[in-house]
Amino acid sequence: DSARDAGLHRFGTWERELLEYTALLHHIGAFLTYTDYQAHTCYLIKHANLPGFDQTEIAIMAATALYHRKVLARKKCPVFAALDQRAQQIVSIASALLCLAENLDRGHAGLIQGARLCAVDTHHVALHIDATHDCQVEVWGVQKHLAALKKVFGQPLVIKVRQRHEPSIPARL
């Protein structure tokens, strides 16, 4: 939602729901193997006969899951090439957002309490991260994709971390 508010896309409820469902499914390929799990996830989404989704929605979710680790879709890739221009645009933005989310929970430790994208000016967008502890690994994960995210969003991404120290709870024996 903050990406839309920052002017990075104009998608609505339908695209948001597809991204949410893709986020829930994006890791299922890891049950087969962690190596290139995104390719297995893509296959499983395409062939799982998911009730309630039409073929376009399934193709968008499968492609988004496929590209979320590398962010940029390859124009010649059959999965991406099979989509119309609008669907390709959805996949490009959704895979970038899923990549951000994946990296912000890189350690699966729940260090990030919130994240939002905000327009800094007409040439930059900021990713504001609220963390309870040091989140260098998560920031590093996002930094690895800055060049690709710039291509997708059309402007550089600046990362700003606000670390909130939660009061420690005394241990009781």
Side-chain angles (χ1 to χ4, degrees):
D1 295 337
S2 67
R4 184 186 59 238
D5 296 341
L8 299 176
H9 66 77
R10 294 183 182 158
F11 300 147
T13 305
W14 180 73
E15 295 88 352
R16 186 183 194 281
E17 285 182 18
L18 286 180
L19 176 56
E20 184 177 357
Y21 292 126
T22 305
L24 291 170
L25 295 170
H26 84 279
H27 217 258
I28 60 172
F31 288 104
L32 297 175
T33 179
Y34 191 77
T35 304
D36 293 329
Y37 75 84
Q38 70 278 6
H40 298 294
T41 297
C42 177
Y43 178 86
L44 290 170
I45 290 172
K46 286 175 79 172
H47 296 92
N49 191 20
L50 299 171
F53 297 101
D54 64 30
Q55 290 304 319
T56 299
E57 293 167 332
I58 289 171
I60 290 170
M61 290 189 302
T64 299
L66 179 63
Y67 297 115
H68 85 278
R69 287 187 76 187
K70 304 229 189 295
V71 179
L72 294 175
R74 294 189 184 108
K75 299 279 185 192
K76 293 182 180 180
C77 176
V79 173
F80 194 71
L83 301 171
D84 64 29
Q85 187 175 3
R86 171 85 170 128
Q88 287 180 352
Q89 183 183 24
I90 293 167
V91 168
S92 294
I93 298 291
S95 62
L97 294 173
L98 187 54
C99 175
L100 282 174
E102 173 94 346
N103 281 284
L104 290 175
D105 193 30
R106 191 172 185 86
H108 302 288
L111 302 178
I112 307 297
Q113 298 302 300
R116 65 197 171 287
L117 292 160
C118 302
V120 174
D121 54 39
T122 56
H123 303 291
H124 296 86
V125 66
L127 173 63
H128 291 272
I129 300 170
D130 295 324
T132 56
H133 296 83
D134 180 28
C135 60
Q136 287 181 331
V137 172
E138 288 76 9
V139 170
W140 173 78
V142 173
Q143 287 173 333
K144 285 189 345 177
H145 299 287
L146 287 178
L149 292 167
K150 180 180 178 182
K151 285 183 182 180
V152 172
F153 294 138
Q155 48 191 303
L157 184 70
V158 178
I159 302 169
K160 298 183 179 191
V161 178
R162 180 172 59 174
Q163 190 170 331
R164 297 180 186 175
H165 296 283
E166 290 187 355
S168 59
I169 300 171
R172 294 187 182 186
L173 299 176

